[in-house]
Amino acid sequence: PTITAAESPDAGLTDATQQQTINSAVSSFSVTASSPQVAGSSFTLTITAILSGNVSTTYTDPVNITVNYISPASGTGTLSVTSTSNFINGVATITNQTFSDCGTITITATNSEDSTKTGTSGNIIFIPYDFTVSVDATTQTVNKAFNLTVTARNAQGNTCPNYKGTANLSVVYVSPSSDQSGTISPSSLGSADFTNGRATLTTTQYNKWGKIKIKAAEALDAARYGESQETMFLPKDFSV
């Protein structure tokens, strides 16, 4: 609105006008999302406008939404929704938010006109949507080292460069299909193994005969996994 000051009756003074910008009343924001979440998959982010400790039910101004990296401390992941003004009774509920990478982050909401009006979520962990697992050859020798590559991916099939584990390795029996009590070494992959979202191992070993697949699964959610191609493990030799 514009405020005008004018004399009545006119005594010869010049009228004055001043344009005002009226912002919604807010002192900070509450930003919440559950954890863990899956990289590249939709999740719900809730932003609540706060004034003097209570919900500011009349707030409707735009807010900017940004990422803060916690672990790792930097990255290139992106949010799909970076601003909103869709507040209803002081609350904006974003149901289609996504984050493209893995790792631990927080999310900050800031008033677009006043950066002192802000709020930050708690830590949110993002885990892979799945893994790709590959072995360097489809025929291997029992208890002999071979190359294994495990890559963490988001829901769009892109590598998650900030993924640092933990991914557990296990055996899927193909032939024989029954449990052979075989073990993969190592049995898990962590931050020392992953670089830019990929673990490349040169000393992996399996201790049983037979055809198997190697499975990598996220420690926080075993439903997030990937399996290698079928690989046959043969004896080194025979004693007759």
Side-chain angles (χ1 to χ4, degrees):
T2 300
I3 298 173
T4 301
E7 294 179 296
S8 179
D10 188 357
L13 298 180
T14 303
D15 294 349
T17 61
Q18 180 169 293
Q19 189 177 70
Q20 302 295 124
T21 299
I22 310 300
N23 294 320
S24 300
V26 67
S27 55
S28 64
F29 297 95
S30 169
V31 184
T32 59
S34 61
S35 179
Q37 297 290 343
V38 175
S41 294
S42 295
F43 66 97
T44 298
L45 180 71
T46 303
I47 303 172
T48 304
I50 304 296
L51 180 64
S52 301
N54 299 310
V55 177
S56 179
T57 58
T58 61
Y59 185 84
T60 58
D61 288 347
V63 295
N64 297 324
I65 305 169
T66 54
V67 172
N68 313 292
Y69 292 93
I70 305 299
S71 179
S74 62
T76 58
T78 56
L79 293 169
S80 59
V81 180
T82 57
S83 65
T84 187
S85 58
N86 189 26
F87 284 85
I88 300 173
N89 295 324
V91 179
T93 303
I94 303 169
T95 60
N96 61 336
Q97 183 65 278
T98 66
F99 180 62
S100 62
D101 204 351
C102 291
T104 302
I105 66 168
T106 61
I107 297 175
T108 295
T110 305
N111 182 281
S112 61
E113 298 294 333
D114 185 352
S115 62
T116 66
K117 313 300 184 183
T118 187
T120 299
S121 72
N123 287 356
I124 308 170
I125 299 171
F126 284 83
I127 61 176
Y129 178 82
D130 64 9
F131 296 91
T132 61
V133 184
S134 61
V135 179
D136 60 351
T138 56
T139 301
Q140 301 289 344
T141 302
V142 174
N143 278 336
K144 182 178 180 180
F146 61 93
N147 296 334
L148 178 71
T149 302
V150 178
T151 303
R153 304 194 304 175
N154 66 16
Q156 289 70 47
N158 300 318
T159 300
C160 295
N162 268 12
Y163 184 70
K164 293 295 183 181
T166 301
N168 294 323
L169 300 181
S170 61
V171 177
V172 178
Y173 297 100
V174 178
S175 178
S177 59
S178 58
D179 188 347
Q180 302 298 302
S181 300
T183 57
I184 288 287
S185 176
S187 60
S188 65
L189 306 176
S191 59
D193 302 301
F194 282 94
T195 301
N196 294 325
R198 179 175 287 112
T200 303
L201 308 177
T202 59
T203 58
T204 317
Q205 293 185 28
Y206 177 60
N207 67 343
K208 295 288 183 177
W209 172 90
K211 184 180 291 185
I212 67 168
K213 294 189 285 186
I214 299 172
K215 181 178 181 178
E218 163 58 39
L220 292 180
D221 184 355
R224 303 299 168 183
Y225 70 92
E227 296 179 354
S228 73
Q229 70 271 41
E230 293 183 358
T231 303
M232 186 68 190
F233 284 82
L234 302 176
K236 173 181 177 293
D237 57 21
F238 294 90
S239 173
V240 181

